[in-house]
Each structure stands twice: as structure tokens, then as C-alpha cells.
Amino acid sequence: MEKKRVAVPILCHGHSRPVVDLFYSPVTPDGFFLVSASKDSYPMLRNGETGDCIGTFEGHKGAVWSVCLDTNALRAASGSADFSAKVWDALTGDVLHSFEHKHIVRACAFSEDTHLLLTGGVEKVLRVYDLNHPDALPREVDKSPGSVRTVSWMHSDQTILSSCTDMGGVRLWDVRSGDIVKTLETKSSVTSAEVSQDGRYITTADGSTVNIWDANHFGLVRRYNMPCTVESASLEPIYGNKFIAGGEDMWVRVFDFQSGDEIACNKGHHGLVHCVRFSPKGESYASGSEDGTIRIWHRPFDP
């Protein structure tokens, strides 16, 4: 049997507590960037290719659960256990806006046009903030059926995708009406939901299952049974022929999209893998762990 090839990662230190979320920017004229969320309360911005630290965002007073960058990588946003979501200047590290909530903020996402910020959390409310009018009250989308775990924008900001910590399924909300228009059913609560770079697929992780959904017709394209409970999964963005997954066994695995066969198994973390994400070029992928480190793996497989 052919021996599986393994990657030697770039090891990124800097966080003092578990890394719980990662987000890559699109490719910009200045390259692409990686932002990380940690329970140490300090989001960090890095060069997405080298892993070199650019800076730390200082201002939260509790664990940071979610981070994102806008399309141009000029602003970052974060959701925290200090009951706030913050928008940061990614060039200076300054806080631009701080939006107070009534409970823990678990998820945040910039709209594609960069004008809006979506948040969700333990309050079971999805809020949309107009960043052109940050002092205005946010729009509240119809009450979520459970505590919000993940949020994303789809369909040119016409659809919101969200999952809950305490129930299965991914819900799709019509932004105009504020109603749930579709629920993608899963066996367990969805801990990771990613819309592919081309907008064609939604990749979800729930329990020991990874699902790939059609983002336009909402049908199930592929379902894969994983060798362990997985926390996160990400689809290769250029060819869409591979996906990665990480979870409780501390390994980052690469799988073939068509067959579901394991192609590579990357070992190195010393704790649960909370998050995995492909870079926008698909040439590398990052993982964040309970051990407080980020590892950037340059793929050992052919495209």
C-alpha cells in the first residue's frame, strides 16, 4: 500500500490559550492574511503565507470565540465572551467600533460588500450592523431556535447561514424577510460551516460526519463518516477535489472529495483541533488547537 505523505508545518506561537477560530482573507494586492481567535482574549493577525505575526488586537476582556476579515483585509471583526463584538482597523490595530450584546458573542461575519457585520451567540438573536451607520440600532433577524454557533453570508449577501450549539441542522435565512427558508438537516450540532470560495458548496462538520451541500439547490452532495469526532472541515478552494478535517484525535486529515479516502494525516498538535481552514490559493491550510498553537501545512499532494 502506498505510504501516505505528510506535511511539515509552519508552527505559529503567540497565543497563551486555545485557538478556537481561524479565518483567511481573500487574496489582496498585498497578499493574503490569517486572523485567529483564542480564549486568551487577543485576536492575532498573520501573513497568511509565512505565518509571521503582524500584530495583536487588544481590547477584549474575555475569550474571543470568532474572528473574520473583510474582503479587502482592511478591517477585522471579533466576537467575545465579554458580551461584545468589535471591528478593528487591520492596519493599525485600533478599535473602530464596539457593539455591546447581552450575552456571549460566538460568531461574526462581514458581508461580501463589507458594509454589514453579522453577529450571533448565546442570546439566540442574529444581528446585522450597518458599518456605515455604526451608531444606529442593528437589525434583528427573527429569533434563532437555539444558541448561535456559526454565521456566514451567501448569495451576494441575500442569505444568512447559521448553526446552533444545542441542536442539529444549518438554517438559511432570507435577509429581506428575516425568515428561515431552508434547514439542512444533520445528526448532531454543527460546529463548523463554510461557504466555498466560488459560492457553490457549503461544508459542515457535525459529530463524526462531514457534509458537502449544494449552496444553490441545498441538496446533499456528499456525506463522509470520519474516523473520530471532528470540530471543523474545509474544502480546497481552487479545484474542490480535497477537503481537510480536524478534531478530537489531534490530527489534521486530508480526504479525497470523490471517494472520501484519506490522502494524508498530519500529526503535531498536542490537543484537540478546534478549527481548520484552507488558504485562498489552496496551496496550504491552517489548523488551530487546544494546545494554543496554529500550524500552517503546505500540502504534500498533487492538485
Side-chain angles (χ1 to χ4, degrees):
M1 190 173 78
E2 183 185 355
K3 186 178 180 181
K4 295 186 180 77
R5 289 168 288 175
V6 296
V8 177
I10 298 170
L11 180 57
C12 305
H13 293 288
H15 286 297
S16 60
R17 296 203 60 206
V19 178
V20 293
D21 194 25
L22 294 170
F23 187 96
Y24 275 106
S25 76
V27 178
T28 75
D30 297 313
F32 61 93
F33 302 90
L34 176 65
V35 65
S36 55
S38 170
K39 292 183 182 179
D40 65 9
S41 78
Y42 300 109
M44 295 186 73
L45 182 67
R46 298 179 183 273
N47 180 298
E49 199 154 3
T50 66
D52 293 340
C53 181
I54 295 171
T56 300
F57 300 105
E58 299 182 5
H60 280 300
K61 297 179 181 178
V64 176
W65 287 107
S66 178
V67 284
C68 58
L69 291 162
D70 70 11
T71 306
N72 304 309
L74 297 177
R75 292 176 296 181
S78 53
S80 172
D82 66 7
F83 295 14
S84 78
K86 295 184 185 296
V87 178
W88 313 81
D89 185 317
L91 301 179
T92 66
D94 295 335
V95 176
L96 299 175
H97 314 295
S98 186
F99 300 118
E100 300 305 314
H101 292 62
K102 297 176 183 177
H103 215 304
I104 294 168
V105 182
R106 285 298 302 265
C108 60
F110 283 108
S111 59
E112 185 180 334
D113 67 11
T114 75
H115 297 317
L116 306 174
L117 181 71
L118 170 65
T119 68
V122 178
E123 280 185 85
K124 304 181 181 180
V125 177
L126 295 170
R127 291 187 173 90
V128 178
Y129 293 87
D130 185 342
L131 298 178
N132 294 323
H133 302 91
D135 295 328
L137 290 175
R139 179 186 172 193
E140 295 189 358
V141 180
D142 196 21
K143 194 172 177 68
S144 171
S147 177
V148 178
R149 176 66 181 264
T150 67
V151 295
S152 300
W153 296 88
M154 294 172 54
H155 303 150
S156 301
D157 304 330
Q158 298 304 304
T159 306
I160 288 171
L161 178 153
S162 73
S163 69
C164 299
T165 58
D166 42 7
M167 63 182 64
V170 174
R171 285 150 198 88
L172 300 167
W173 308 73
D174 181 274
V175 172
R176 292 180 182 176
S177 69
D179 296 329
I180 297 174
V181 293
K182 184 72 176 180
T183 299
L184 309 179
E185 299 292 348
T186 62
K187 297 177 182 178
S188 307
S189 63
V190 171
T191 51
S192 169
E194 174 192 75
V195 181
S196 64
Q197 194 166 274
D198 61 8
R200 292 177 60 195
Y201 298 111
I202 302 166
T203 303
T204 62
D206 69 286
S208 59
T209 304
V210 171
N211 294 313
I212 310 287
W213 310 84
D214 185 309
N216 296 303
H217 302 287
F218 310 127
L220 180 64
V221 179
R222 292 280 192 280
R223 173 166 285 161
Y224 311 94
N225 293 317
M226 296 287 101
C228 72
T229 299
V230 292
E231 288 285 311
S232 184
S234 180
L235 184 64
E236 197 279 337
I238 304 302
Y239 302 98
N241 58 353
K242 312 277 193 306
F243 70 93
I244 51 174
E248 67 176 12
D249 68 358
M250 303 183 284
W251 299 347
V252 180
R253 290 182 164 93
V254 186
F255 298 90
D256 181 82
F257 178 91
Q258 294 294 339
S259 66
D261 293 341
E262 185 180 310
I263 301 166
C265 181
N266 300 309
K267 303 177 182 181
H269 281 298
H270 302 289
L272 172 78
V273 176
H274 286 291
C275 43
V276 293
R277 285 293 179 260
F278 261 106
S279 69
K281 293 181 178 180
E283 297 170 350
S284 61
Y285 45 97
S287 55
S289 168
E290 184 74 16
D291 65 16
T293 68
I294 299 165
R295 291 168 193 260
I296 297 176
W297 313 82
H298 286 268
R299 65 186 194 182
F301 45 82
D302 297 326

